[in-house]
């Protein structure tokens, strides 16, 4: 069970690092479509972070109450990335 917890924590670390790195890489792209693709990847990583927290709760490494603030923040991040991606795809000139 300890190895399972360790893998979930490692995956959470990887996915949480991927969010800002993909946002940064996307902002370096010239085409709105390319920028949107990286933001979409960042959004997927944020959703993955939330799932990792669920796994850690299910494995009793964390309690549900302790992950509530983090999950709320991730929910907001996913919302922002979704809107940003939509705005890039709706208006090719970008925000």
């Amino acid at each position: 069970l300890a190895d399972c917890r360790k893998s979930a924590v490692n995956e959470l670390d990887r996915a949480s690092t991927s969010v800002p790195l993909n946002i940064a890489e996307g902002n370096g792209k010239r085409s709105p479509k390319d920028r949107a693709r990286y933001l979409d990847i960042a959004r997927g990583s944020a959703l993955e972070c939330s799932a990792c927290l669920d796994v850690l709760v299910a494995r009793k490494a964390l309690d549900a109450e302790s992950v509530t603030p983090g999950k709320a923040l991730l929910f907001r991040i996913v919302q922002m990335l979704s809107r940003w991606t939509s705005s890039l795809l709706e208006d090719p000139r970008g925000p």
Side-chain angles (χ1 to χ4, degrees):
L1 189 60
D3 284 342
C4 292
R5 288 181 191 154
K6 186 177 178 184
S7 345
V9 169
N10 287 340
E11 191 61 24
L12 178 59
D13 182 52
R14 187 206 59 75
S16 65
T17 300
S18 179
V19 174
L21 293 180
N22 276 293
I23 292 169
E25 189 167 357
N27 279 325
K29 301 298 178 186
R30 291 180 186 226
S31 123
K33 186 176 177 181
D34 283 342
R35 289 175 64 198
R37 185 169 57 91
Y38 280 91
L39 294 176
D40 198 43
I41 293 168
R43 180 182 169 275
S45 294
L47 290 167
E48 189 176 352
C49 289
S50 183
C52 287
L53 292 176
D54 290 338
V55 167
L56 289 167
V57 168
R59 292 183 176 160
K60 301 191 186 325
L62 297 171
D63 62 272
E65 189 176 305
S66 70
V67 301
T68 300
K71 288 191 59 106
L73 180 59
L74 287 164
F75 180 80
R76 182 70 182 117
I77 290 167
V78 167
Q79 283 182 321
M80 289 188 296
L81 289 168
S82 296
R83 286 186 189 129
W84 193 2
T85 301
S86 291
S87 73
L88 284 169
L89 296 175
E90 289 169 5
D91 182 359
R93 293 170 293 165

